[in-house]
Amino acid sequence: MKKLKAIIDDLPFPYRGSHLTNRDIKDIKIDSRDVQPNDLFVCISGYTVDGHDFVKQAVDKGAVAIIAEKTLAIDTIPVIYVRDTKRVLSYLASYFYDHPSNDLHLIGITGTNGKTSVSYLLDEIFTLAMKKTAVIGTIQMKIAENTYPIANTTPEPTYLQKSFKQMVDVNIDHCMMEVSSHALELGRVNGCDFDLAIFTNLSQDHLDFHETMDDYLKAKLRLFYQLGNRYQQSRPKYAVINGDDRYANDFAHASSQPVITYGLTDSSDVYADQIQFSANGTTFDLHTLKGSTEIKTDLIGKFNVYNMLAAASAAQLSGVALSTIKQGLEQSKGVRGRFETVKGDHPFGIIIDYAHTPDSLENVLATIQSFAQAKIYLVIGCGGDRDRTKRPLMAAIGEKYADFTILTSDNPRSEDPLEIIRDMREGMKSNRYKIEIDRKQAIKDAVSLAESNDIILIAGKGHETYQIIGDQTIHFDDYQVALQAVSEGR
């Protein structure tokens, strides 16, 4: 708990206020529904709602002070007016929780694909190194052995800083955080003291939000700018960059800190060669800053080699021995919903993957094609209220690699699922597909078509256990639906 006067006096932003009595502040909230007595309510203008419209509800629930951009008809409690509440919120949240990221080894991971996999590879490696870890990302937030659901890949500042404080209180050593382009653009991670920034790759995604690839790139680059200019021997910072990506130089130029690159040739600082893929795993020689070793892993595909290179680079820069890195990479079974095989004795393969961008879908399908012995069946949809331009690209990639594609629903949200599929169909030139709006039936159809040694890829949702149709969120798990379809089909 902090005093309102102390909070205001610490603000490095221009402000004006009224009725500035010195109240006790218990917490900071941006959702009026969550306000409790003695909270400070910050009005944030969002894409669908404006916090300024819910001030009365916040006051009725016990808010004792307001921070706003727009003039409010409130004269019963202190109101502090600032130019940009989003920017002020990030600073306030860090201040209120005593700047907790300063006391963590914080690794930020950004890129279109691979963020979750790299996060959990690092989690496994650091755990083997006897370190206490935390992970924040698409699937969940994990602090030591406890897990918590989160609404966004990168949470809003108050939740984020409060979580960092919780980590500090239980002596977490390393926190791996997926940093989305949305979070960077909206300033959610302003004030986070990153020790390492990792760039995985960049391909088309989120153009409904950023509008152009240039805007998307600029948002991602912010993470590397935020590593800062200061060199500190006691706490060195590094930029870890996929040297094979077309945007590698942009990210290298964005950081003043030492840059370490990884890739598939010796032009990178950390690299893999002698790579061999099979249906059962991957082997390669890993060359690091401090020696080389052979890796034999159950993880399949070139994209997983890149993920392992990123994790190995970051772990070594964080002081982990190469022998421990090797052990972590070799024992990893991957992340739920990322190239996950549906277990069972069915005579064909079923793979669940989160691939929801053209690049990630092509990576997964190309990997499957490299070891497939028979036909490849693809079940794929695209999300509603999201980038429409990638829909025909996704379908075209499906047609390129799969023998047969079933176009279905993903999370249609407010859009008509059939309209989404029509957009996808524009990218297809053959008739090797069918349309089945019902995703459950689409998976059943794929299972009914598959024969011995065929492979079914169910793409787009991965770990998700829900489907958003209209304003309803219903339970839906691709893995469980596939298991059920196999069971009913036997």
Side-chain angles (χ1 to χ4, degrees), residues 278-282 296-300 304 329-333:
S278 74
N280 298 315
T282 305
K296 297 179 179 179
T297 173
D298 291 342
L299 304 182
I300 301 170
N304 269 318
L329 297 180
E330 292 192 331
Q331 76 175 30
S332 177
K333 301 301 179 185

Side-chain angles (χ1 to χ4, degrees), residues 2-8 11 20-21 23-32 34-43 58-59 61-68 77-81 88-89 91-93 95-97 158:
K2 284 183 167 55
K3 291 287 188 180
L4 178 61
K5 187 176 186 303
I7 293 172
I8 296 171
L11 275 181
L20 299 183
T21 53
R23 307 290 185 92
D24 286 325
I25 302 298
K26 180 181 177 182
D27 208 345
I28 302 171
K29 299 289 173 60
I30 63 170
D31 188 331
S32 60
D34 298 334
V35 170
Q36 296 182 7
N38 294 104
D39 282 349
L40 168 64
F41 181 66
V42 181
C43 302
V59 173
K61 296 193 73 172
V64 293
I66 307 292
I67 293 182
I77 62 173
V79 180
I80 300 96
Y81 293 101
V88 168
L89 175 65
Y91 182 88
L92 277 180
Y95 166 79
F96 190 84
Y97 293 106
T158 53

